[in-house]
Each structure stands twice: as structure tokens, then as C-alpha cells.
């Protein structure tokens, strides 16, 4: 499945901070065919550092970040469903963000880009879905930050989505989750090459961004998975070097992950998107989380993983309890895995079967938009 990234233009987008962006570009990919009734569309939400390339193979030969879940015969079966994935607002992979050109100056926005929220991201996605002529999505699904966007869809556009699949996510960040994001932001801003965000066409803040990625990557794995993958094995040596070069395999791995990240992600996008995650609170403006979810009209499949300590299962269970407290149709599965937070990306056996069955039920019980109450 060779895929192309498409770009559409949204004339204007009003943000939660009160500013309006003009001529907003949205990069997206689609897989499968939209049926005649336009009732088989599924929107896939990417996690923090993901992009629109969720499935198939691009022209560089790279598979999509969820290619093991999206495709013919897979959980999101592209022989049956029309699957869409777009890069989020504030990103750096084709959708308008801080590295885009500011029409007022002719230069990249940098830190002059306005602050954004998860709600803004979803508002832009809704404009994209409207431009594609899809009145109601069969499902919105995503893990991690993608799950936050799923929840926002449920309450912001309750009649526009039949089913919601928030996976390995939360309705609001805890202090610990905010702390990890702030550590990454400080690493970037402390880099001398950061230059207050004005580093385009100059030396990139590679050291800071690499360290930020290293910290983040630690949170995606579990103690057990790191023990199995690395243990205390040394890297290309028989004894300690007694210096500050690489001794252990895990050190080499993290340095590689950090340096690889610098080549594909923008440091300013890192700042803006992590702040958007930290700002997210589905219950904001409501007496409780349950009260916010009272607006939802979707059925829900909530999935968490036993070894995920970044978005632990108790946060998913809070969502489930809130949904059940408002008598919503919700299925909850806590899956056993030793992969940590990355489980939703790599441990796809049980996840596939659960998602496949849930979507089949949604197709059977699909409620056209005009009869939704």
C-alpha cells in the first residue's frame, strides 16, 4: 500500500487563545475507499511525535507508525473502512505550526506562533472532515495524545462521531506527566542554539532536543522491557571506560534515539505540543469529568496496558467510571503487556481482536446523523 500525503487549505481557524490563523494547511493521508453512504470513515489520531503517515509505505520505503493496525485485514481494515490520519496543528510534518511561514513577516513563526490546545487541533480536524464531505465518522481512535483528541471529539462534536476509541491515554495530565514534559522543554530552551526559537536556517538546538527525546523515550518503556532489551550489558567493550563516553547498551540506545529525532522533528513544535497536552483537561469548565462526558453520544472502547506507567490504567479507569456514571455504552479492556506505554504501538495481538470486534458492532448499529439525539 504505497501512500501519498495530501494537503488541504482551511481559510481560517480561530484558536482558544482568541487569535485567528489564516490559510491553515493540513497534511493528511487516507487508506481504503469511502463508501457511497459515507458511513465507513475512521479518523486516526497520532500521538505526540507522530504524523499523518499512519499506514502503508511512503515513497522512501518507510512504513506508517501504526501500519501493524491499519491495512487490509488488520484491526482498522482498509478493505472495509476509509481511514484518515492528519498531522496535528502545531506540528512540523505538513500542517501549520511554528516552523511555517508567518504571512505577516515572511519568516517562520518560531515563538510568535500562538499558543494552541488539543481543542484547536480537533477543531482543525473537524474542518478537514467537513471538507471531505463526511457528515459523521464511524469512529475516532488514537493512543496517548491521540486519545486526548478522541475524548475532545466526543464532547466537542458529539453528533459527528459514532464511536470513540481512546487508548493508553488520560482525560488530564497529572503533575508527574507535566513534570516530564517540562523537563524536555527546559532541555530545549537551555540549548545555546535555541536562540529564543529563532534558529531556522541556523544551527538547530540539537543537543537540547536530543536530551528531551531521551527523557521522553524512557517514559515510553517499562522497567521490565528495558531489563529484557538492555539489562546492564556493555556496548562494544569488555569493561567500564571510567569516563563519560558510552559504557552501557541503554546509553547507546538513548543517544541514538535522541540524535535520530533531531532530524525529523522541530524543537518549537515540541514546546507547543507538550504545552497543549499539559493544558488539556476534559473536565475544565464542568463540575466533574462525568459532567463533561454527559455531552457525549458515542459508544466507547477504552484500552489501557498493565505496564504503562506514563499513562497508568487508573487514568483510563477514571474515564470509564465517569462514562458509566452517565450511563454511556462503554467497554473497557486492560491488556497485559510488558512494553510500557509503547504497548499500544507494538503489542497488537489482543488489541487487534478487540478493536476488530468493536468496530464490527459499530457498523451493525450505526446511527445516521439525522436520527441522533
Amino acid at each position: 500500500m504505497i501512500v501519498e500525503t495530501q494537503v488541504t487549505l482551511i481559510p481560517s481557524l480561530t484558536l482558544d487563545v482568541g487569535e485567528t490563523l489564516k490559510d491553515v494547511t493540513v497534511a493528511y493521508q487516507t487508506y481504503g475507499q469511502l463508501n457511497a453512504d459515507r458511513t465507513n470513515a475512521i479518523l486516526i489520531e497520532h500521538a505526540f511525535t507522530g504524523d499523518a503517515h499512519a499506514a502503508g509505505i511512503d515513497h522512501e520505503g518507510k512504513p506508517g507508525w501504526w501500519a501493524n493496525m491499519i491495512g487490509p485485514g488488520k484491526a482498522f481494515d482498509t478493505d472495509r473502512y476509509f481511514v484518515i490520519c492528519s498531522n496535528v496543528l502545531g506540528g512540523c510534518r505538513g500542517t501549520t505550526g511554528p516552523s511555517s511561514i508567518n504571512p505577516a513577516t515572511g519568516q517562520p513563526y518560531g515563538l510568535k506562533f500562538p499558543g494552541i490546545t488539543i481543542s484547536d487541533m480537533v477543531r482543525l480536524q473537524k474542518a478537514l472532515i467537513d471538507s471531505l464531505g463526511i457528515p459523521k465518522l464511524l469512529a475516532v481512535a488514537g493512543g496517548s495524545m491521540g486519545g486526548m483528541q478522541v475524548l475532545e471529539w466526543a464532547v466537542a462534536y458529539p453528533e459527528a462521531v459514532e464511536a470513540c476509541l481512546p487508548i493508553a491515554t488520560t482525560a488530564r495530565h497529572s503533575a508527574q506527566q507535566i513534570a516530564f514534559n517540562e523537563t524536555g522543554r527546559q532541555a530545549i530552551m537551555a540549548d545555546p542554539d535555541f536562540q529564543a526559537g529563532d534558529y531556522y536556517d541556523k544551527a538547530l538546538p540539537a543537543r537540547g532536543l536530543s536530551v528531551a527525546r531521551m527523557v521522553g523515550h524512557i517514559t515510553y518503556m517499562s522497567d521490565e522491557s528495558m531489563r529484557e532489551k538492555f539489562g546492564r550489558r556493555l556496548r562494544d567493550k569488555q569493561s567500564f571506560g571510567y569516563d563519560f563516553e558510552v559504557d552501557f547498551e541503554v546509553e547507546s540506545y538513548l543517544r541514538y534515539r535522541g540524535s535520530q529525532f533531531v532530524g525529523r522533528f522541530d524543537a518549537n513544535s515540541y514546546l507547543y505540543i507538550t504545552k497543549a497536552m499539559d493544558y488539556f483537561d476534559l473536565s475544565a469548565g464542568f463540575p466533574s469529568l462525568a459532567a463533561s462526558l454527559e455531552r457525549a453520544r458515542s459508544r466507547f472502547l477504552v484500552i489501557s496496558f498493565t505496564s504503562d506507567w506514563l499513562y497508568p490504567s487508573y487514568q483510563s479507569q477514571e474515564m470509564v467510571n465517569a462514562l458509566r456514571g452517565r450511563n454511556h455504552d462503554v467497554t473497557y479492556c486492560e491488556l497485559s503487556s510488558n512494553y510500557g506505554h509503547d504497548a499500544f504501538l507494538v503489542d497488537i495481538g489482543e488489541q487487534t481482536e478487540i478493536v476488530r470486534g468493536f468496530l464490527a458492532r459499530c457498523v451493525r448499529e450505526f446511527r445516521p446523523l439525522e436520527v441522533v439525539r
Side-chain angles (χ1 to χ4, degrees):
M1 193 164 64
I2 305 297
V3 294
E4 299 273 2
T5 298
Q6 304 174 68
V7 177
T8 195
L9 186 70
I10 304 301
S12 68
L13 183 74
T14 301
L15 307 177
D16 284 347
V17 296
E19 296 189 41
T20 298
L21 289 173
K22 300 293 187 181
D23 296 331
V24 182
T25 59
V26 187
Y28 69 100
Q29 291 185 1
T30 66
Y31 324 98
Q33 297 294 321
L34 186 64
N35 64 16
D37 295 333
R38 299 177 178 267
T39 58
N40 69 333
I42 296 175
L43 178 64
I44 299 295
E45 306 283 13
H46 70 72
F48 166 33
T49 63
D51 54 32
H53 182 38
I57 304 294
D58 66 16
H59 285 286
E60 296 178 353
K62 296 178 181 177
W65 56 265
W66 224 9
N68 55 3
M69 287 285 286
I70 304 169
K74 298 180 181 179
F76 299 96
D77 187 350
T78 52
D79 288 336
R80 302 186 64 189
Y81 308 119
F82 178 63
V83 180
I84 309 152
C85 184
S86 66
N87 186 218
V88 297
L89 180 69
C92 52
R93 305 290 289 181
T95 296
T96 297
S99 60
S100 301
I101 298 300
N102 181 348
T105 65
Q107 300 296 320
Y109 279 100
L111 295 190
K112 292 183 176 64
F113 195 70
I116 57 171
T117 65
I118 297 294
S119 176
D120 294 328
M121 296 175 185
V122 169
R123 192 175 301 118
L124 181 60
Q125 292 163 14
K126 181 61 164 61
L128 170 64
I129 296 304
D130 288 346
S131 74
L132 295 174
I134 299 169
K136 184 179 182 181
L137 292 163
L138 174 65
V140 183
S144 195
M145 187 187 83
M148 298 179 191
Q149 296 166 71
V150 171
L151 293 170
E152 179 65 23
W153 265 94
V155 300
Y157 304 104
E159 296 187 353
V161 55
E162 175 72 18
C164 289
L165 293 79
I167 302 170
T169 193
T170 183
R172 55 181 170 265
H173 266 180
S174 67
Q176 183 186 64
Q177 289 157 340
I178 294 170
F180 280 122
N181 280 346
E182 174 63 2
T183 302
R185 289 191 292 264
Q186 288 299 319
I188 290 169
M189 291 187 289
D191 189 318
D193 291 326
F194 180 61
Q195 298 292 314
D198 185 21
Y199 51 78
Y200 299 106
D201 297 324
K202 304 173 186 175
L204 299 175
R207 288 165 291 181
L209 183 58
S210 178
V211 170
R213 182 58 169 176
M214 289 167 70
V215 171
H217 202 77
I218 293 168
T219 69
Y220 304 152
M221 304 178 74
S222 70
D223 176 58
E224 184 177 357
S225 66
M226 294 183 82
R227 188 168 63 249
E228 290 180 357
K229 190 177 182 69
F230 308 111
R232 288 180 54 84
R233 291 190 300 277
L234 299 181
R235 174 71 174 178
D236 296 334
K237 59 178 62 176
Q238 299 301 314
S239 60
F240 298 154
Y242 295 102
D243 54 24
F244 298 101
E245 299 303 314
V246 168
D247 283 307
F248 298 98
E249 284 277 7
V250 69
E251 292 175 317
S252 175
Y253 174 78
L254 289 174
R255 291 189 188 192
Y256 168 74
R257 284 293 187 180
S259 62
Q260 184 187 50
F261 188 62
V262 169
R264 72 172 185 86
F265 208 79
D266 179 48
N268 283 329
S269 284
Y270 193 106
L271 302 183
Y272 278 87
I273 296 174
T274 55
K275 267 294 187 180
M277 287 191 283
D278 291 346
Y279 290 147
F280 181 66
D281 182 354
L282 198 66
S283 64
F286 296 90
S288 65
L289 178 59
S292 70
L293 286 165
E294 191 166 4
R295 289 175 47 82
R297 296 293 179 270
S298 306
R299 50 177 58 89
F300 288 81
L301 171 61
V302 180
I303 298 175
S304 68
F305 297 87
T306 54
S307 59
D308 185 352
W309 62 277
L310 179 59
Y311 291 97
S313 290
Y314 82 83
Q315 293 184 320
S316 290
Q317 291 159 6
E318 285 179 348
M319 289 185 283
V320 171
N321 291 337
L323 287 163
R324 287 175 176 164
R326 288 300 191 270
N327 202 32
H328 284 298
D329 182 340
V330 55
T331 300
Y332 172 59
C333 298
E334 182 185 33
L335 301 182
S336 179
S337 173
N338 69 349
Y339 285 105
H341 185 57
D342 271 350
F344 83 94
L345 294 171
V346 298
D347 206 348
I348 57 101
E350 283 185 282
Q351 191 178 190
T352 291
E353 293 307 312
I354 291 165
V355 169
R356 180 183 287 134
F358 179 76
L359 291 176
R361 177 191 162 206
C362 294
V363 170
R364 291 194 303 269
E365 300 176 5
F366 187 87
R367 299 160 294 177
L369 185 62
E370 60 270 20
V371 300
V372 173
R373 296 290 183 265

